[in-house]
Amino acid sequence: NFRLMGRHDSSSEEEERYRKRDRRRRQKHKDKRSKKDVSKPNVPELNDNNGKALGKTGGVYIPPFKKERMIMKEVKDKSSVEYQRLTWDALRKSINGLVNKVNARNIKNIVPELFAVNLIRGRGLFCRSCIKSQMASPEYTDVFAALVAVVNSKFPQVGLLLLKRVVLQLMKAYTRNDKPQVLAAVKFIAHLVNQLVAEETMALELVTLLLEDPTDDSVELAVVLVKECGARLQDFAPKGLNGIFERFRSILHDGEIDKSVQYLIEGLYFAKFPGHHAVRSELDLAEEKYSHYISLEKVIDPETVLDVFKPDPDFLENEKKYVAFKNELLAKEEIGYDASSEEEDDEFDENELGDEAETNLVNLRRKIYQTIMASIDLEQARHKLLKLKLEPGQEMELCIILLECCGQERTYLRYYSSLGQLICMISKSYQENFEKCFVQLYSMIHCIETNDLPNVAKFFAHLLATEAISLRVFSYIRLTKEDTTSSSRIFLKFLFGELWKQLGIRLLNKMLQVLTMQDSLESIFPRDNQENMRLLISFFTSIGLSGITEHLKEYMKYMQHLINMQQQSDSESDDSSSSGSESGSSSSGSNSDSSSSDSESESDREKRKRRRRG
């Protein structure tokens, strides 16, 4: 009975639940019908009297950016504080939007848009936005560093301000033991060093600070920094980089750090800078480089006042100045981008060039250039260049392109000269073509930019040091005051300086004193007169290579000794002729002299000669 009663109660509860649900549905249906029957209220039409109560927009929703534009148009006094505040907000939003959407593909398009806004006024906003975006996305650090480098090339004060804030952020996070922020700041500084916004001494100083009291975290940060900017340090500060690796070696020998950190250091030794190039080609956009140095020990002023709005009494005048500067800057940028796009264009129209042979030549140069720049190492580059199968007479194009690639680099890279050495070993025709390039380049040395001369001179110096080309090229150089210019002297300075670095003074002297090459070296080491020899000795002494002029100094001493001997012999002959004339006049005056007087005069002459000889 108890079970039956329980079942009956449960069924009655379900029925009651269904009844309540039906009642709710009926009530909702009635409510809907009642709402449809309700008539809409009569809204009066808007006019001048009641429109002000609904606001400026008349009760219509307008997006905030459109509303700001409307307000800015309504403001008549452009120098008022209200208008300046509106422009400040618009500037902040524009800078934040551009920085947030930048990447490696669209950075060339972002740069003109960024220069279109007033970066002088908003430099604090730009620095703050870059630091925040980099902290949020450390994997795009190289992109933000490239953007800062482009801005720094036109506004160095912006790059200096950002570097100050990054260093200050690093120091604050380091004292708080905030590892993620320290890691992001270290990466940012490393890529700023790669972009030459910060000097390489900052990276060396930072690594020294991290390794002064080594811990697991500090050593890990130092390894990250060396990985990121080690390729740049290897080019600009090789001695400092060697000192860093010595410090890493001593830390490994001590064995006080964790095993995982030891593996990081060992990986840095086995594969130096794997996949960490100094700057990617698509991010190398800054034409001019201005490097800054911020000491980690001095007090740094972040200039946070620049991040907040402040009325400018000369607002309109400053805006006009920036607009004029912006127009000039963007005009130059458009010309530069047009020129670069023409160089990188893959399709050439035969109607525009007008000559099919010239089209083929341009395509060949492009292939050679792409092959050289896309190769990982020397062997791969040599192998790919041999696959091009150049026709007879086209070897000269390869030599010219390789020389131009070396000259266009900001610093000398031995990659190009070593590749030229390998090419000269393949065929003698390449050796002859490089010698022709040397002669043509030296004859037009005054037309080459001064910044390109060191790289080109070191390129040929490497070929001469490795005997890839002959010393016959020196026969076209005449080192005299009349035959040299300032450009040629700069070229020879770096040429012999690189020869001295690679060979040393002893081997360099030995190379320049080869007997079979003295005919070729006669013009560059002239011995025709003392004035040219003095000029030559003073030139090599001024560049620190006086050791290769020792044979000239000995030759000058020998020539001076011969000149003195000649002058002494000439004076003796003059004296003897004068004494002979005197004796002849005395004999003619005394016709009645005896044989005894003749013998005495002869004895006197012999005595005089002995005295002169003595």
Side-chain angles (χ1 to χ4, degrees):
N1 294 333
F2 180 77
R3 291 178 181 176
L4 292 174
M5 288 175 64
R7 289 178 184 177
H8 178 72
D9 293 340
S10 61
S11 61
S12 63
E13 290 176 0
E14 288 179 1
E15 289 178 0
E16 186 67 24
R17 195 183 303 118
Y18 288 142
R19 290 192 200 98
K20 289 181 180 180
R21 186 179 63 183
D22 292 339
R23 282 196 297 268
R24 285 196 300 269
R25 286 179 179 177
R26 287 193 295 268
Q27 186 66 31
K28 286 182 181 180
H29 185 63
K30 288 180 181 179
D31 294 341
K32 288 181 180 180
R33 292 181 63 181
S34 62
K35 287 181 181 180
K36 289 181 180 179
D37 296 338
V38 174
S39 61
K40 295 182 180 179
N42 295 325
V43 180
E45 294 182 359
L46 294 177
N47 50 37
D48 296 337
N49 296 326
N50 59 4
K52 295 180 180 180
L54 298 177
K56 295 181 179 180
T57 61
V60 181
Y61 172 77
I62 297 178
F65 71 96
K66 288 187 178 181
K67 192 174 181 180
E68 289 179 2
R69 291 178 185 175
M70 293 172 59
I71 297 173
M72 291 175 69
K73 288 180 180 179
E74 292 177 0
V75 176
K76 296 181 180 180
D77 187 8
K78 301 296 183 181
S79 61
S80 62
V81 177
E82 182 183 1
Y83 183 79
Q84 291 186 31
R85 187 180 296 276
L86 292 173
T87 56
W88 175 266
D89 294 336
L91 178 64
R92 175 176 51 80
K93 293 176 182 178
S94 299
I95 291 176
N96 289 338
L98 293 172
V99 172
N100 288 333
K101 70 179 182 180
V102 69
N103 54 48
R105 294 182 179 180
N106 65 0
I107 187 171
K108 289 185 178 180
N109 301 324
I110 293 293
V111 167
E113 296 181 16
L114 191 60
F115 284 138
V117 300
N118 194 340
L119 282 177
I120 300 295
R121 186 187 182 198
R123 57 186 182 274
L125 300 174
F126 173 76
C127 296
R128 185 177 65 177
S129 180
C130 285
I131 293 174
K132 283 187 176 181
S133 300
Q134 189 270 337
M135 292 287 180
S137 303
E139 62 272 11
Y140 292 101
T141 305
D142 54 347
V143 179
F144 295 117
L147 184 65
V148 173
V150 176
V151 175
N152 181 70
S153 64
K154 306 301 179 184
F155 306 105
Q157 65 271 28
V158 179
L160 179 61
L161 177 62
L162 184 133
L163 187 60
K164 285 181 179 179
R165 294 189 176 185
V166 173
V167 173
L168 191 62
Q169 184 78 14
L170 170 67
M171 296 171 66
K172 288 182 178 179
Y174 188 75
T175 54
R176 294 197 306 263
N177 293 327
D178 190 350
K179 185 177 178 181
Q181 283 199 6
V182 174
L183 186 60
V186 164
K187 284 187 177 181
F188 209 173
I189 292 176
H191 284 283
L192 290 176
V193 171
N194 289 338
Q195 291 284 353
L196 299 181
V197 177
E199 293 185 3
E200 62 277 2
T201 51
M202 285 192 62
L204 298 176
E205 186 178 350
L206 180 56
V207 174
T208 305
L209 175 64
L210 292 172
L211 298 181
E212 186 176 0
D213 295 322
T215 61
D216 294 343
D217 293 334
S218 65
V219 175
E220 183 180 353
L221 292 171
V223 171
V224 171
L225 179 62
V226 174
K227 274 187 179 180
E228 295 292 339
C229 65
R232 181 66 71 184
L233 294 177
Q234 195 170 21
D235 295 335
F236 283 84
K239 293 183 179 180
L241 188 62
N242 292 335
I244 291 172
F245 276 102
E246 289 295 331
R247 179 58 177 155
F248 279 136
R249 185 179 289 107
S250 63
I251 291 173
L252 282 177
H253 285 313
D254 293 341
E256 296 178 357
I257 58 176
D258 191 60
K259 288 291 183 182
S260 60
V261 182
Q262 293 182 14
Y263 291 149
L264 291 176
I265 299 176
E266 291 174 359
L268 191 63
Y269 270 98
F270 289 129
K272 290 186 178 181
F273 328 125
H276 293 82
H277 302 288
V279 180
R280 287 191 287 171
S281 58
E282 62 269 20
L283 296 178
D284 192 7
L285 303 175
E287 297 177 356
E288 300 176 359
K289 303 288 186 179
Y290 297 100
S291 300
H292 308 285
Y293 172 75
I294 302 296
S295 177
L296 300 177
E297 298 177 354
K298 295 182 179 179
V299 179
I300 300 173
D301 181 15
E303 301 181 33
T304 54
V305 182
L306 300 173
D307 297 348
V308 295
F309 170 73
K310 185 179 181 181
D312 185 6
D314 301 329
F315 175 73
L316 295 178
E317 184 180 354
N318 294 333
E319 287 293 322
K320 288 180 181 178
K321 289 181 180 179
Y322 187 82
V323 168
F325 176 77
K326 175 190 70 175
N327 295 334
E328 182 182 357
L329 180 62
L330 293 180
K332 291 181 180 179
E333 292 291 334
E334 288 178 1
I335 294 173
Y337 285 135
D338 292 341
S340 62
S341 62
E342 289 177 2
E343 291 176 359
E344 297 174 358
D345 192 7
D346 295 330
E347 296 179 359
F348 285 86
D349 191 4
E350 294 181 358
N351 297 327
E352 294 178 1
L353 294 175
D355 190 4
E356 187 175 358
E358 188 176 356
T359 305
N360 295 334
L361 184 61
V362 172
N363 291 331
L364 175 63
R365 289 177 178 175
R366 181 183 294 104
K367 287 182 181 179
I368 295 173
Y369 175 78
Q370 291 175 351
T371 302
I372 293 173
M373 302 306 292
S375 300
I376 299 175
D377 53 10
L378 294 174
E379 291 299 329
Q380 184 181 7
R382 183 173 69 91
H383 182 68
K384 288 183 178 180
L385 289 174
L386 289 177
K387 277 188 175 182
L388 293 178
K389 296 180 181 180
L390 302 178
E391 297 179 0
Q394 292 181 342
E395 295 89 352
M396 190 68 173
E397 299 299 328
L398 174 58
C399 301
I400 293 173
I401 294 297
L402 188 59
L403 194 59
E404 289 179 354
C405 291
C406 182
Q408 290 174 0
E409 293 290 340
R410 289 175 174 80
T411 57
Y412 169 66
L413 299 179
R414 193 170 289 185
Y415 167 77
Y416 299 105
S417 55
S418 301
L419 183 58
Q421 175 191 353
L422 292 177
I423 292 172
C424 290
M425 295 170 61
I426 295 173
S427 174
K428 191 176 181 181
S429 61
Y430 288 107
Q431 179 181 356
E432 296 174 353
N433 286 319
F434 273 116
E435 292 176 358
K436 291 179 182 178
C437 287
F438 183 92
V439 175
Q440 293 175 3
L441 183 138
Y442 190 78
S443 62
M444 300 174 62
I445 197 72
H446 58 280
C447 300
I448 301 176
E449 294 185 4
T450 307
N451 296 332
D452 298 341
L453 289 176
N455 291 352
V456 176
K458 292 177 181 180
F459 179 90
F460 283 113
H462 181 81
L463 297 184
L464 289 167
T466 55
E467 298 182 358
I469 60 176
S470 173
L471 295 177
R472 292 192 301 268
V473 296
F474 284 142
S475 61
Y476 298 93
I477 300 176
R478 184 167 177 80
L479 193 54
T480 61
K481 186 177 181 180
E482 296 80 11
D483 298 326
T484 57
T485 60
S486 59
S487 299
S488 62
R489 287 191 287 270
I490 292 173
F491 176 79
L492 293 175
K493 171 188 173 182
F494 285 100
L495 178 71
F496 282 96
E498 186 67 18
L499 284 172
W500 170 69
K501 286 183 181 179
Q502 295 196 22
L503 297 176
I505 195 67
R506 185 176 62 83
L507 292 178
L508 181 58
N509 268 325
K510 186 177 180 181
M511 183 181 72
L512 296 176
Q513 292 176 6
V514 177
L515 296 177
T516 57
M517 290 296 171
Q518 291 306 309
D519 294 338
S520 302
L521 298 172
E522 186 177 358
S523 60
I524 198 171
F525 294 103
R527 299 185 179 185
D528 50 356
N529 56 55
Q530 290 188 355
E531 183 179 357
N532 290 338
M533 286 190 287
R534 289 193 186 98
L535 176 65
L536 184 66
I537 292 172
S538 63
F539 171 74
F540 282 107
T541 304
S542 64
I543 64 175
L545 295 177
S546 59
I548 64 177
T549 59
E550 294 295 333
H551 64 287
L552 281 178
K553 294 178 182 177
E554 294 177 359
Y555 181 76
M556 283 188 65
K557 291 180 182 178
Y558 176 70
M559 290 297 297
Q560 188 66 34
H561 178 69
L562 290 179
I563 291 171
N564 294 335
M565 292 290 293
Q566 185 67 27
Q567 291 177 353
Q568 186 176 359
S569 62
D570 292 341
S571 63
E572 289 178 358
S573 61
D574 293 340
D575 293 342
S576 61
S577 61
S578 62
S579 62
S581 62
E582 291 176 359
S583 63
S585 62
S586 62
S587 61
S588 61
S590 58
N591 294 326
S592 61
D593 289 344
S594 61
S595 60
S596 61
S597 61
D598 293 334
S599 61
E600 288 178 0
S601 61
E602 290 178 0
S603 63
D604 293 338
R605 290 173 188 170
E606 290 178 359
K607 289 179 181 179
R608 290 174 185 172
K609 288 181 180 180
R610 289 174 184 173
R611 289 174 184 173
R612 289 169 189 162
R613 290 174 184 173

